Amino acid sequence: MCGIIGIIGKDNENVVAKIIKGLEKLEYRGYDSAGVAVVSDGNLSRLRAAGKLKNLIAKIEENGLSGSVGIGHTRWATHGKATENNAHPMMTKNVALVHNGIIENYRELKFELQKDGYTFSTETDTEVAAVFLQRELDRGCSPRDAFKNMLAAVEGSYAFAAIFSMLPETIMVAKNKSPLVVGFGKNMCIGSDASAISSECKEVVYLDDGDYAEVTREGVLFFDKSFNQIEKKRTPVSEDLIDSGKGTYEHFMLKEIMEQPNAIRKTILHNRIGEDILNGVSRILILACGTSYHAGLVARYWFEKFLKIPTNVEIASEYRYRSPIIEDNTLVIAITQSGETIDTLEALEYVRKHSNAKVAAIANVKNSAISRAADTVFYTEAGVEVGVASTKAFTAQLVVLAAIAFCRNEFFLQKLQNVPALCEEALALYEEIKPLAEKIKNAHSAMYLGRDVLYPIALEGALKLKEISYIHAEGFAAGEMKHGPIALIDDSVPVICLCPHNELFEKMESNIAVSMARGKNIIIFTDEIGAALLPNEAVKIVLPNINAEFAPILYSIPLQLLAYQTALIRGEDVDKPRNLAKSVTVE
Ligand code: F6R
């Protein structure tokens, strides 16, 4: 979601081009408008544009914008449409401000400011913060006091960065629940994440909730929530955060799908998980959202079957609102690619408040908020994932979860070693999968069916298709079809079935037969034995044989390729699907 960047140029260098570069690096987070503001000779100026960054760049080229201190923003609309007028930075006479998060008490603040004679020109919640600062300055406050008073007044989540006309060498920042880092390099920087400023800065400070900082050419002053000056630890920017581009691929998503064998190999290598993670554990609670939630659903099958530990998997955005009970001796596992998802972070906060449970995180982004909030962190070694639709991070999450599930089971750990090579074989099926996209591309709806450990993969396959191709798709436990969803099947609805020859093959086979009796667009992903037994009227794609427990990892791959190819031939923006954000930092 929204991305923030700010740069203070060393030798009065014009920083606008560098701010744009940083915004390009933040694009993956998802946005629908963008803007830049600079302070130069005591004057603030800004340019903003709706839509992609190229619109902002065109405006800057046309109108000119320069300054050696500036802030930039990519906005993912929450309050107010994605128009130029609602784009950040918000600007008043003396302040320009960018914000990621939601100011929950914006109505009361706006009313108060209006009573004081201030007017508003946008539909955003953010504008109250800028106008509040202006009122405080008009009342004679220093920028520092104005900022402090504003922080004391706002409720909700925020990462703020502000520049002031009367303080032309400073960027003021503050964080509560939304991510923000301060970077140290030739130029001082701030950013929503370290990757955005990685070309400028080799060291960063991760701000904690309640932190406030004044960044100047000379350095940074950090303050805690009681405005006591504090020292913060600098962390080197991890090489893993720096994306190496698309290479020869047309899209990041395809590159990331193809990277899976290596991502899995590396993840296995770095995650030899000792049995002690389960010491004293009598329950497991998994918290996650979206694709990461699907990884958790697979793990529940493994944990209960092999560890014999009762396991709950909860959608993080729902969890804390139903006053759940956390039993003693629970191991909580948060699963997240970005490590920033606010729903998951808030669910962990609930866990901390209401229990003494041990918290482990499975995260892809090193030093991310969720990895810092956990007692133990297991990193998926998938490398930077840029495509908004998660692919390699998902299969790497499954690998870490398998390493936990089988930490007492050498036989399965050995079998896990074979998975990367099998994934290579599955990727080689891409040419065979491509024509299937033709069978799906005009469908108004598609169904994905699976059983047991492949049921969550049906959910994941459907999520991949809907998020990048915009075709409605749902995953179902195949046995549930007869309880309602079967009513949806007709000749126009593709039914995509996951049916390796496993213990539940016969059951799945009948579910397929039932679908075939009602529709004619049936696609089956199976293995050699399954293919020989399943009807020839269906399209069959034969995957390599794999141990049944690891089928979720393997069967994810053709579904990713199918979704990718379908979106591609429909002409959609595969890496940046509409309305979606890679990093979900608002509830
Ligand atoms: C879908 C997708 C999302 C994320 C979800 C959680 O392809 O990427 O559903 O899985 O937003 O994000 P993380 O894993 O970063 O917590």
Side-chain angles (χ1 to χ4, degrees):
M1 288 176 170
C2 303
I4 290 177
I5 180 145
I7 304 182
I8 303 180
K10 192 82 187 162
D11 305 312
N12 281 326
E13 168 191 358
N14 177 15
V15 293
V16 171
K18 287 186 168 171
I19 289 176
I20 294 292
K21 263 214 171 93
L23 291 179
E24 282 167 355
K25 291 209 166 151
L26 291 167
E27 274 190 290
Y28 79 97
R29 298 172 75 87
Y31 72 106
D32 31 46
S33 61
V36 177
V38 290
V39 55
S40 183
D41 297 330
N43 294 312
L44 291 169
S45 38
R46 72 169 166 179
L47 286 170
R48 301 173 297 165
K52 298 284 180 200
L53 268 182
K54 64 176 189 318
N55 302 343
L56 176 65
I57 295 168
K59 276 208 154 170
I60 292 173
E61 279 166 4
E62 195 184 321
N63 300 293
L65 185 72
S66 78
S68 64
V69 175
I71 50 178
H73 190 264
T74 46
R75 172 175 186 252
W76 188 87
T78 57
H79 295 61
K81 290 206 176 320
T83 58
E84 175 178 336
N85 192 51
N86 288 332
H88 302 201
M90 296 291 134
M91 203 165 94
T92 64
K93 189 164 58 125
N94 302 109
V95 183
L97 170 136
V98 291
H99 168 223
N100 174 14
I102 291 180
I103 300 172
E104 286 168 4
N105 61 338
Y106 77 98
R107 276 196 201 85
E108 298 98 271
L109 292 177
K110 192 167 181 176
F111 184 64
E112 177 191 315
L113 290 160
Q114 279 169 332
K115 267 202 335 211
D116 286 349
Y118 289 87
T119 54
F120 289 79
S121 60
T122 77
E123 305 160 292
T124 66
D125 53 328
T126 301
E127 193 179 10
V128 296
V131 174
F132 195 107
L133 287 173
Q134 185 62 51
R135 183 190 65 180
E136 299 302 283
L137 294 171
D138 291 345
R139 284 176 170 175
C141 286
S142 66
R144 177 184 286 186
D145 286 338
F147 206 72
K148 277 186 188 174
N149 294 347
M150 185 273 286
L151 292 179
V154 296
E155 287 165 17
S157 57
Y158 54 76
F160 285 124
I163 50 178
F164 297 82
S165 59
M166 63 282 278
L167 209 61
E169 306 225 326
T170 301
I171 302 177
M172 289 198 185
V173 295
K175 167 198 156 41
N176 185 43
K177 295 185 177 158
S178 301
L180 203 67
V181 301
V182 175
F184 296 78
K186 179 173 150 261
N187 297 324
M188 293 299 293
C189 298
I190 55 110
S192 287
D193 57 42
S195 66
I197 54 174
S198 58
S199 52
E200 287 294 306
C201 301
K202 296 295 158 238
E203 281 188 326
V204 292
V205 163
Y206 291 89
L207 294 189
D208 291 307
D209 284 349
D211 284 354
Y212 147 67
E214 292 178 6
V215 186
T216 65
R217 282 208 170 96
E218 279 64 50
V220 192
L221 296 178
F222 293 104
F223 301 86
D224 66 12
K225 53 169 87 84
S226 314
F227 295 102
N228 298 313
Q229 202 177 328
I230 49 170
E231 293 296 316
K232 303 278 294 179
K233 187 172 144 259
R234 293 192 197 187
T235 310
V237 176
S238 160
E239 286 294 309
D240 292 11
L241 294 174
I242 302 165
D243 90 65
S244 53
K246 283 189 276 204
T248 54
Y249 292 95
E250 196 178 339
H251 293 103
F252 278 105
M253 184 178 175
L254 185 60
K255 174 175 176 255
E256 289 159 5
I257 291 173
M258 295 296 172
E259 281 172 350
Q260 286 177 108
N262 279 339
I264 292 171
R265 251 180 223 116
K266 213 169 154 197
T267 303
I268 295 174
L269 199 68
H270 284 76
N271 285 283
R272 300 211 187 274
I273 298 174
E275 283 184 45
D276 52 335
I277 181 78
L278 300 172
N279 283 352
V281 171
S282 55
R283 283 200 165 265
I284 295 177
L285 167 66
I286 297 177
L287 299 168
C289 300
T291 288
S292 300
Y293 170 72
H294 295 155
L297 290 178
V298 173
R300 177 167 58 190
Y301 288 88
W302 291 337
F303 291 171
E304 296 201 328
K305 187 167 171 187
F306 294 93
L307 296 175
K308 307 281 180 228
I309 300 179
T311 301
N312 270 353
V313 191
E314 300 271 358
I315 294 174
S317 58
E318 283 292 311
Y319 180 68
R320 71 190 175 118
Y321 295 109
R322 61 173 177 77
S323 309
I325 296 156
I326 305 162
E327 290 183 38
D328 288 345
N329 306 322
T330 298
L331 169 65
V332 176
I333 305 178
I335 310 175
T336 174
Q337 187 287 128
S338 62
E340 282 183 7
T341 305
I342 188 94
D343 299 305
T344 311
L345 203 53
E346 294 281 330
L348 285 187
E349 199 172 304
Y350 179 93
V351 167
R352 292 294 197 201
K353 227 181 189 159
H354 295 89
S355 77
N356 293 317
K358 270 200 292 189
V359 174
I362 298 175
N364 196 40
V365 177
K366 309 247 158 87
N367 291 310
S368 50
I370 293 172
S371 58
R372 284 181 285 129
D375 303 313
T376 311
V377 56
F378 303 111
Y379 285 116
T380 44
E381 298 290 338
V384 184
E385 192 178 68
V386 178
V388 163
S390 188
T391 53
K392 61 178 181 173
F394 174 66
T395 46
Q397 287 167 350
L398 290 176
V399 167
V400 176
L401 291 161
I404 299 172
F406 302 110
C407 67
R408 298 172 177 158
N409 194 323
E410 198 47 43
F411 171 80
F412 278 104
L413 287 182
Q414 281 308 318
K415 290 273 173 221
L416 188 59
Q417 304 279 352
N418 302 333
V419 171
L422 296 173
C423 290
E424 265 155 19
E425 287 182 45
L427 288 169
L429 295 170
Y430 184 30
E431 288 307 314
E432 216 177 305
I433 289 167
K434 277 183 183 172
L436 303 185
E438 291 293 336
K439 295 170 75 63
I440 296 180
K441 69 172 189 197
N442 295 321
H444 61 85
S445 189
M447 299 173 85
Y448 287 69
L449 310 186
R451 274 179 174 268
D452 196 64
V453 279
L454 289 175
Y455 161 50
I457 303 307
L459 298 178
E460 175 58 11
L463 178 61
K464 288 286 90 86
L465 185 72
K466 69 184 136 194
E467 67 184 331
I468 59 170
S469 74
Y470 317 140
I471 295 171
H472 173 255
E474 292 300 328
F476 296 101
E480 270 297 290
M481 290 297 288
K482 56 191 178 294
H483 300 293
I486 199 166
L488 294 171
I489 300 185
D490 63 23
D491 287 351
S492 71
V493 177
V495 183
I496 295 139
C497 309
L498 306 177
C499 188
H501 190 257
N502 59 18
E503 274 181 5
L504 291 175
F505 178 78
E506 283 78 19
K507 302 236 183 286
M508 188 67 201
E509 191 184 12
S510 359
N511 300 139
I512 292 175
V514 164
S515 303
M516 290 187 73
R518 289 157 179 85
K520 65 168 188 205
N521 198 355
I522 314 289
I523 298 169
I524 309 175
F525 293 94
T526 182
D527 52 20
E528 220 176 320
I529 305 180
L533 298 170
L534 289 164
N536 288 330
E537 299 77 59
V539 175
K540 292 179 274 189
I541 300 288
V542 182
L543 279 98
N545 290 330
I546 186 163
N547 179 290
E549 298 311 328
F550 298 135
I553 306 175
L554 188 72
Y555 280 67
S556 300
I557 289 179
L559 301 191
Q560 296 165 350
L561 289 168
L562 184 60
Y564 171 76
Q565 191 63 26
T566 307
L568 188 72
I569 59 176
R570 282 168 62 97
E572 308 299 357
D573 189 348
V574 176
D575 284 335
K576 296 188 211 93
R578 70 183 180 208
N579 304 338
L580 291 180
K582 185 81 184 152
S583 196
V584 181
T585 52
V586 295
E587 275 195 77

